[in-house]
Amino acid sequence: MDPILALHNLEYRRGDQFTLNIGQLDFQPGRIYLLAGPNGAGKSTLLQLLGLLLPPDRGEIRFAGTVVQGGAHRQRLRRQVTLVEQSPFMFDGTVYDNLAFGLRLRDVRGDLQRHRILSALEKVGLQGFESRQARLLSGGETRRVALARAMVLRPKVLLLDEPTAGLDRDSLPLFESCLAALPGEGVTVIISTHDADQSRRLRGEVLRLEAGRLISPETVESAITYRAVKGSF
Amino acid sequence: MDFLTESLRAALALILTLDAEVVGAVWTSLYTSVAGILLAAAVGIPVGTLIGVGRFTGRRAVLTLLNTLMALPTVVVGLVIYGFLSRQGPLGALGLLFTPVAMIIGQTVLSAPIVANYTVAAVAGADPRIMTTALTLGAGRLRAAWQLLLEVRFGVMAAVVAGFGRVIAEVGVAMMLGGNIRGYTRTMTTAIALETSKGEFAFGLALGLVLMTVALIVNLFLNLLQQR
Amino acid sequence: MRTVPGAPIQTKGFINREVTKVKKLGILSTLLVLSLILGQSAIAAERLRMSTTTSTENSGLLKVLLPPFEAQAGCKVDVIAVGTGKALKLGEAGDVDVVLVHARKLEDKFVADGFGVNRKDVMYNDFVILGPAADPASVQGAKTAAEALAKIAEKQAPFVSRGDESGTHQKEKELWQAAGVTPKGAWYVEAGQGMGEVIVMATEKQGYTLADRGTYNAFKKAKTNLVIVFDGEKGLFNPYGVIAVNPQKHPHVKYDLALKFIDFITGAEGQKIIADYKVDGDPIFFVYR
């Protein structure tokens, strides 16, 4: 079984800040991965590269075994890879409009569209929110709408940049249970996070990034040891 | 003071009785300016979006060029186009000089840089997350750019309104390219120029009042947009 | 594109629809503009373009002279009123079909250079010297127009010139030459504008100017308090000529229609209209008998 995403000899230079340098990194389908590391390590950039929003300076990215080539190819594949940004942007309109955006692009209309949107909202605990103005929501509600907006598209890979940072304690369990349920639907989830226990709660594999380089992929157990040794997550 | 009040009274009479010449001039002004701004928008908005979103060598030079084009005196624009449209010029065979079409072309050339420039500002000042969000949700570049324009639509509308304000009130291009032909290419502004040269202040004032009303409406609209 | 099992079905639907919308708008506007341009050429068959001077247009004669011709010939006459120089230049360039001006020397050159054909005399009026009622330069006693101007120069009384190579300006230059004076100084103002503006300017300055009687008559009721201080001399004669633009130089001009127009205004009907035209009871133009 091909890895759903594979990076090989990847290099990306972000101005003066750092150069992302990854020899080999595979993501197996239907698993959860957590990207950990200090601020400025390149987590967001890596997510953008994985989200096929940026072309790497050097090296190759493979999606389900095929090498990703060129802007048009990236654009086609973005139908299957979706990134939720750290501070999600809401389009001007209702929550429904925001969720419908991607569905309309994929020609999902009418009753099917409505059904998928409403069930996605229910999953994130925002039932009844479809007519609300998306820009007027609280921070936590916005994050949940952004998650629903991505989930409703049923991508093969879902990337999230610090999705639970600043989320209120009550909403956290629901949010994480949504994420935890995704592998069951065949979705690969890659999250960047500062939350040390999250990998345990989500039962995911931890990848540690520092100054643009992978320290080492770790299993859940060794992550705890690592934390003890390094003193940070 | 008497002179002004007398002229004002005569002017209002001309407006209220819908004097044929006044109505004709107003209509010509309106339809040439509207046609001109529509064409300018069709050119200026895409160009402005491309420049606003794009990153390419010479971008700064292009922006400087746009600013210069915006500031060109109307008589200069009129003169250059005149050179093209006159029978002696390269496009002379089209016989467009001294027709409303020539005026529309002139208005388009005048207002397109304004529309483009304001669009660049609107687009460049927009939240960069608009494009990335649209793209990651599966949109192509064109659809993402369209979403961007939707999100900054008030800025784009302001661009169009600004361009319209410039062309409805100018006289240089309309005069040179239209020829101020009675009943055909006579606009509010060229009529004012003519009537004041004949000393017909009442008529000139009447048209001036209508023009000021149009300008007022345009500016009110612009204000409304800027507040959103 | 290799299909991945479970991937959402990729139809072309939405994006193409958006692009189609924009394309449709673009095609529609292009069609609109094209039809406007082509429409112009279609209606062009019924429009005769004439360049003339601002004073001719301002006299109001054309408002009564053109409609009967337009009705008979089944066309519209587009009048482009500019300075004499530009009126003739438009004829040279072929941007108009017929020219109506009052500058004999320039008209003759126009024909001699091959730009115009079939020049005909149409009508005449005369020039007058205007000045303030008080007449500080004592122009009213002068025996010739040249002498009148010499007196103005001597007194350095304010004088406003057309300064725009118009027929009026040409006449003024001839008179200065005859008077042996080169007008220079703060008292001599070259306005570079039309007759109306110049009369208004001279009124403001309470100075002198050379004007055609037609424009003066149109202005004397309400727009100026200057009076005629000198007139009646043969040298102030101001004849108008009409010339068709040479079809050999510019094959696209409406030569036949231009000839029809020339025949009309020099014919019985046109001449009568010209002779009968009055502003506030005063005739403006005179016809040859």
Side-chain angles (χ1 to χ4, degrees):
Chain A
M1 180 79 150
D2 281 323
I4 188 74
L5 274 174
L7 305 178
H8 183 67
N9 286 338
L10 190 95
E11 236 183 79
Y12 184 84
R13 188 187 180 75
R14 164 77 88 204
D16 294 330
Q17 292 168 21
F18 59 78
T19 304
L20 207 52
N21 227 308
I22 295 181
Q24 182 71 42
L25 182 57
D26 291 346
F27 294 90
Q28 300 303 328
R31 305 262 283 269
I32 298 185
Y33 295 87
L34 292 105
L35 213 50
N39 285 328
K43 301 198 296 292
S44 299
T45 310
L46 180 57
L47 286 175
Q48 286 180 326
L49 285 159
L50 289 169
L52 306 178
L53 290 166
L54 291 172
D57 292 337
R58 257 194 282 273
E60 70 178 27
I61 303 179
R62 280 173 186 264
F63 181 86
T66 325
V67 178
V68 178
Q69 284 165 327
H73 194 198
R74 277 206 308 282
Q75 192 236 299
R76 281 201 301 277
L77 290 176
R78 282 200 290 265
R79 292 287 179 92
Q80 303 181 61
V81 179
T82 303
L83 167 67
V84 178
E85 286 180 352
Q86 204 165 341
S87 192
F89 178 84
M90 291 289 118
F91 295 127
D92 194 16
T94 62
V95 169
Y96 190 95
D97 293 333
N98 272 272
L99 266 71
F101 182 88
L103 288 175
R104 267 192 245 117
L105 288 171
R106 292 157 175 80
D107 226 22
V108 175
R109 297 171 184 280
D111 289 332
L112 179 60
Q113 182 191 91
R114 189 170 179 76
H115 171 75
R116 277 168 67 159
I117 290 176
L118 293 179
S119 56
L121 285 176
E122 208 182 306
K123 280 200 197 134
V124 297
L126 290 178
Q127 49 270 65
F129 270 65
E130 57 270 13
S131 306
R132 297 270 292 265
Q133 283 298 313
R135 293 247 174 100
L136 300 178
L137 299 175
S138 72
E141 287 164 350
T142 305
R143 285 177 185 283
R144 289 190 274 161
V145 171
L147 176 61
R149 187 170 65 180
M151 275 178 12
V152 85
L153 302 177
R154 306 206 184 139
K156 293 257 95 204
V157 180
L158 183 58
L159 306 144
L160 300 108
D161 199 344
E162 298 197 35
T164 55
L167 199 63
D168 56 287
R169 251 186 0 192
D170 294 332
S171 311
L172 189 59
L174 183 60
F175 202 98
E176 285 186 345
S177 67
C178 283
L179 295 177
L182 289 171
E185 295 167 24
V187 181
T188 309
V189 181
I190 307 174
I191 320 175
S192 79
T193 182
H194 279 294
D195 186 336
D197 289 323
Q198 201 160 55
S199 65
R200 188 176 37 80
R201 292 195 299 271
L202 294 175
R203 287 196 283 277
E205 198 172 307
V206 178
L207 305 165
R208 187 163 176 78
L209 206 63
E210 251 178 56
R213 285 168 184 281
L214 277 176
I215 303 305
S216 59
E218 300 170 57
T219 59
V220 173
E221 291 79 33
S222 55
I224 300 171
T225 325
Y226 195 82
R227 179 173 45 121
V229 168
K230 281 286 175 178
S232 69
F233 196 77
Chain B
M1 204 53 210
D2 269 344
F3 165 68
L4 271 179
T5 46
E6 253 323 299
S7 303
L8 199 62
R9 200 174 301 163
L12 285 170
L14 280 170
I15 296 174
L16 292 172
T17 56
L18 295 176
D19 176 88
E21 303 245 356
V22 172
V23 171
V26 172
W27 170 242
T28 308
S29 273
L30 283 176
Y31 87 77
T32 54
S33 298
V34 169
I37 195 65
L38 283 177
L39 287 173
V43 169
I45 295 177
V47 169
T49 310
L50 275 172
I51 299 175
V53 168
R55 297 280 172 272
F56 50 90
T57 47
R59 186 169 180 268
R60 190 166 289 175
V62 171
L63 283 172
T64 314
L65 181 67
L66 263 184
N67 272 310
T68 316
L69 287 175
M70 253 178 65
L72 278 178
T74 60
V75 278
V76 172
V77 175
L79 196 60
V80 172
I81 302 178
Y82 186 95
F84 274 89
L85 296 182
S86 162
R87 289 281 172 180
Q88 298 172 310
L91 299 177
L94 292 171
L96 289 175
L97 193 60
F98 305 140
T99 63
V101 173
M103 290 199 291
I104 293 173
I105 294 174
Q107 316 292 31
T108 307
V109 171
L110 265 187
S111 50
I114 298 177
V115 174
N117 217 354
Y118 277 61
T119 304
V120 170
V123 163
D127 198 319
R129 294 176 296 165
I130 302 175
M131 282 291 273
T132 51
T133 308
L135 289 172
T136 195
L137 292 174
R141 293 210 83 86
L142 207 67
R143 176 68 182 88
W146 178 249
Q147 190 64 30
L148 177 63
L149 281 177
L150 281 178
E151 298 284 325
V152 297
R153 62 184 175 276
F154 293 118
V156 173
M157 286 200 272
V160 173
V161 169
F164 182 76
R166 161 101 142 143
V167 293
I168 192 123
E170 73 85 35
V171 67
V173 165
M175 187 69 93
M176 286 210 106
L177 300 178
N180 197 17
I181 298 169
R182 210 173 115 248
Y184 189 47
T185 57
R186 191 163 289 177
T187 64
M188 284 192 276
T189 49
T190 59
I192 292 175
L194 173 66
E195 295 302 324
T196 45
S197 83
K198 281 156 65 177
E200 293 283 348
F201 287 108
F203 195 86
L205 202 60
L207 286 172
L209 286 172
V210 177
L211 193 53
M212 281 197 283
T213 313
V214 172
L216 189 69
I217 295 174
V218 165
N219 272 295
L220 277 174
F221 202 54
L222 193 62
N223 255 302
L224 264 164
L225 290 177
Q226 282 172 339
Q227 279 170 15
R228 307 283 292 259
Chain C
M1 195 189 86
R2 187 198 296 183
T3 48
V4 181
I9 298 176
Q10 314 256 356
T11 59
K12 294 215 182 125
F14 188 70
I15 294 184
N16 269 23
R17 228 161 297 172
E18 287 293 307
V19 172
T20 318
K21 264 190 238 168
V22 175
K23 265 197 213 155
K24 274 197 197 143
L25 195 71
I27 294 174
L28 208 69
S29 353
T30 317
L31 280 175
L32 188 73
V33 175
L34 274 176
S35 58
L36 269 175
I37 295 181
L38 290 172
Q40 289 302 321
S41 329
I43 328 170
E46 301 141 274
R47 306 194 86 99
L48 178 72
R49 287 217 186 128
M50 176 173 80
S51 66
T52 186
T53 66
T54 46
S55 48
T56 316
E57 161 90 342
N58 289 353
S59 69
L61 170 68
L62 296 174
K63 264 195 215 169
V64 295
L65 185 59
L66 293 179
F69 169 72
E70 287 173 333
Q72 280 177 27
C75 71
K76 277 224 131 275
V77 181
D78 286 341
V79 176
I80 296 146
V82 288
T84 304
K86 184 156 183 202
L88 288 167
K89 277 275 186 299
L90 287 175
E92 280 178 37
D95 283 322
V96 294
D97 307 307
V98 65
V99 174
L100 174 66
V101 291
H102 45 105
R104 192 56 199 260
K105 284 210 186 101
L106 296 178
E107 290 168 43
D108 290 338
K109 186 170 191 307
F110 186 72
V111 175
D113 287 343
F115 293 117
V117 291
N118 198 33
R119 185 205 168 279
K120 290 259 160 67
D121 287 318
V122 182
M123 60 204 184
Y124 63 92
N125 63 7
D126 61 335
F127 290 109
V128 297
I129 300 181
L130 301 176
D135 192 14
S138 308
V139 168
Q140 271 164 341
K143 291 194 207 54
T144 67
E147 190 190 325
L149 287 193
K151 283 187 158 192
I152 295 172
E154 203 188 307
K155 185 75 196 238
Q156 300 210 340
F159 186 93
V160 183
S161 161
R162 287 288 296 275
D164 62 352
E165 304 302 321
S166 56
T168 312
H169 190 216
Q170 306 283 356
K171 179 64 68 177
E172 185 207 317
K173 286 199 282 198
E174 278 173 33
L175 293 175
W176 286 120
Q177 211 166 26
V181 175
T182 314
K184 238 197 322 218
W187 60 273
Y188 183 72
V189 174
E190 292 189 81
Q193 297 191 65
M195 196 69 252
E197 280 115 331
V198 165
I199 293 182
V200 169
M201 202 184 283
T203 311
E204 290 291 316
K205 288 173 163 294
Q206 285 294 289
Y208 296 86
T209 188
L210 181 71
D212 63 282
R213 192 186 294 269
T215 311
Y216 174 65
N217 279 350
F219 272 54
K220 74 176 181 197
K221 193 168 161 210
K223 299 162 198 170
T224 182
N225 61 3
L226 297 178
V227 295
I228 298 178
V229 291
F230 188 93
D231 68 339
E233 185 184 276
K234 197 93 186 293
L236 292 179
F237 195 52
N238 183 27
Y240 284 67
V242 63
I243 317 169
V245 172
N246 189 357
Q248 292 199 329
K249 269 254 160 66
H250 296 288
H252 63 264
V253 292
K254 313 264 171 44
Y255 184 59
D256 293 327
L257 203 52
L259 288 182
K260 270 204 198 133
F261 178 71
I262 294 175
D263 286 339
F264 177 80
I265 64 172
T266 54
E269 194 184 340
Q271 292 279 290
K272 184 168 191 322
I273 297 175
I274 296 172
D276 288 347
Y277 181 65
K278 290 186 173 58
V279 172
D280 290 332
D282 292 318
I284 310 280
F285 300 101
F286 305 93
V287 295
Y288 303 95
R289 270 289 161 258

